[in-house]
């Protein structure tokens, strides 16, 4: 564990997401209250102040290239770069500092900056669930893990969306100073030391675009209209008067799944919506068409790594029924 000063540089630039900067910085600042010694600086590509995504101007301490090597270099994210290519000068600005840093980490879409600089080539990484597919497509040399809250690969760390930067910063504090100090920081900030489940629990419903073929659209419409119905492979094939093998091939070719898994996904999405609305887990299982609560619980465990009850505690509406 480190006991001396630990230099943390946060790399910022115009359009940077403010919470990507403030969240981790607050963790390190809070850790200092419990005995750590983090020295935090904000650095930009040129040393000029930058304007955040909210329009708030951030005063920086200098240019990233003008500073000595850091113990930790954090690259904050921006909404800009999943939608556009990272400018060459921005990627160039972090390439040498990354090589000299003791460890480097990205917050949310900061992974796009690291990837553009070649830092994530051959490494495991993550980013916000909404743009993980774009990171994987744009930088195929990077092995993207879309469900992870954060990923460590050697001395390179990447984290999921926005508040996951706090999770990552806590993990770095624990690495430096042990679990007791990190736990004190988590308690002071009223956050989980380690949140349960992956990013999937925050993601939007799973259904993609409708199938191209009219035949398969007929089947998906039947399932979507009545998730509680009898949707065995045999029953679904009977709707189209095709063999079960042919129907399975249609699902595989167009949707890259099986009929049974498609039905399960529809029921899973409906169950999530019902839990969000305040239905009990048992009610949600019945209304969504699961054979039992236990079968729904197994699906939640497989997809989200948490139980339906845990999911509901996190995401059910904060409103409470008022007496009539």
């Amino acid at each position: 564990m480190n006991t001396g000063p630990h230099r943390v540089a946060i790399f910022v630039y115009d359009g940077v997401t403010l919470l990507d900067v403030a969240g981790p910085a607050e963790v390190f600042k809070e850790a200092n209250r419990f005995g750590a010694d983090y020295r935090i600086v904000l650095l930009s590509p040129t040393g000029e102040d930058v304007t955040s995504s909210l329009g708030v101007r951030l005063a920086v301490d200098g240019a990233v290239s003008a500073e000595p090597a850091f113990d930790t270099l954090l690259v904050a994210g921006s909404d800009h770069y999943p939608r556009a290519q990272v400018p060459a000068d921005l990627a160039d600005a972090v390439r040498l500092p990354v090589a000299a840093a003791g460890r480097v980490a990205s917050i949310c879409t900061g992974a796009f900056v690291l990837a553009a600089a070649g830092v994530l080539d051959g490494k495991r990484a993550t980013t916000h669930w909404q743009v993980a597919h774009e990171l994987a497509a744009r930088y195929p040399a990077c092995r993207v893990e879309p469900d992870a809250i954060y990923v460590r690969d050697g001395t390179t760390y990447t984290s999921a969306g926005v508040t996951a930067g706090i999770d990552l910063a806590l993990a770095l504090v624990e690495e430096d100073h042990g679990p007791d100090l990190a736990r004190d920081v988590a308690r002071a900030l009223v956050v989980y030391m380690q949140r349960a489940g992956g990013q999937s629990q925050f993601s939007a419903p799973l259904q993609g675009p409708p199938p191209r073929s009219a035949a398969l659209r007929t089947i998906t419409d039947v399932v979507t209209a009545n998730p509680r119905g009898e949707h065995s492979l045999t029953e679904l094939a009977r709707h189209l008067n095709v063999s079960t093998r042919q129907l399975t091939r249609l699902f595989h070719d167009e949707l890259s799944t099986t009929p049974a898994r498609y039905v399960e996904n529809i029921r899973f999405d409906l169950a999530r919506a019902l839990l969000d609305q305040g239905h009990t887990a048992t009610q949600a299982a019945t209304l969504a068409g699961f054979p039992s609560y236990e079968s729904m619980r197994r699906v939640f465990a497989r997809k989200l790594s948490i139980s339906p009850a845990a999911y509901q505690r996190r995401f059910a509406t904060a409103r409470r029924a008022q007496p009539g």
Side-chain angles (χ1 to χ4, degrees):
M1 298 179 190
N2 298 330
T3 55
H6 185 117
R7 284 174 49 81
V8 177
I10 304 179
F11 181 65
V12 297
Y13 44 89
D14 283 333
V16 70
T17 300
L18 189 58
L19 188 55
D20 287 4
V21 179
E26 193 68 26
V27 170
F28 292 120
K29 184 272 293 181
E30 196 68 24
N32 288 343
R33 292 184 54 235
F34 295 98
D37 190 5
Y38 291 105
R39 311 290 173 86
I40 307 165
V41 294
L42 298 187
L43 303 175
S44 68
T46 64
E48 297 179 356
D49 293 349
V50 302
T51 302
S52 76
S53 58
L54 295 180
V56 176
R57 194 155 186 82
L58 297 178
V60 305
D61 299 289
V64 67
S65 59
E67 294 290 321
F70 314 104
D71 297 298
T72 299
L73 174 64
L74 298 182
V75 177
S78 168
D79 291 341
H80 294 334
Y81 298 122
R83 300 195 299 266
Q85 293 291 333
V86 176
D89 58 345
L90 190 59
D92 290 343
V94 299
R95 195 170 281 116
L96 289 179
V98 161
R103 66 188 177 197
V104 62
S106 64
I107 311 302
C108 194
T109 55
F112 282 81
V113 179
L114 289 186
V119 177
L120 300 184
D121 287 357
K123 294 186 177 180
R124 297 162 45 246
T126 194
T127 188
H128 195 290
W129 62 266
Q130 287 182 315
V131 295
H133 65 286
E134 179 63 26
L135 182 68
R138 195 181 300 178
Y139 304 103
C142 171
R143 301 194 300 276
V144 178
E145 299 185 4
D147 193 40
I149 298 296
Y150 63 85
V151 169
R152 175 183 179 180
D153 192 323
T155 57
T156 302
Y157 302 71
T158 51
S159 71
V162 284
T163 59
I166 295 173
D167 298 76
L168 175 56
L170 281 170
L172 296 178
V173 169
E174 181 177 5
E175 184 177 291
D176 295 337
H177 296 284
D180 291 340
L181 190 147
R183 191 175 296 110
D184 287 339
V185 174
R187 286 171 173 160
L189 296 178
V190 198
V191 296
Y192 288 110
M193 177 76 166
Q194 181 178 359
R195 81 175 87 184
Q199 286 197 77
S200 296
Q201 62 187 295
F202 304 96
S203 64
L206 301 175
Q207 299 100 306
R212 295 185 304 274
S213 73
L216 203 52
R217 282 200 301 273
T218 298
I219 293 299
T220 57
D221 288 348
V222 165
V223 176
T224 304
N226 182 23
R228 298 176 63 182
E230 168 55 43
H231 298 314
S232 68
L233 179 59
T234 300
E235 284 297 318
L236 292 177
R238 187 174 295 137
H239 276 286
L240 294 183
N241 195 28
V242 298
S243 68
T244 56
R245 177 179 295 183
Q246 185 176 350
L247 183 63
T248 299
R249 188 183 307 116
L250 278 171
F251 268 88
H252 179 269
D253 291 346
E254 287 208 39
L255 300 179
S256 299
T257 189
T258 66
R261 188 53 54 88
Y262 181 85
V263 172
E264 179 184 275
N265 286 343
I266 293 294
R267 289 171 173 168
F268 169 72
D269 284 344
L270 178 55
R272 288 175 66 180
L274 291 165
L275 291 170
D276 290 345
Q277 294 164 17
H279 290 273
T280 68
T282 301
Q283 289 171 337
T286 300
L287 293 172
F290 283 99
S292 65
Y293 165 76
E294 181 58 29
S295 65
M296 183 178 79
R297 189 196 65 77
R298 287 195 297 268
V299 172
F300 269 71
R302 186 176 71 250
K303 291 181 179 293
L304 305 185
S305 300
I306 56 175
S307 69
Y311 173 87
Q312 187 172 48
R313 285 195 295 270
R314 287 165 172 77
F315 299 106
T317 177
R319 293 174 295 179
R320 294 291 181 265
Q322 300 299 314

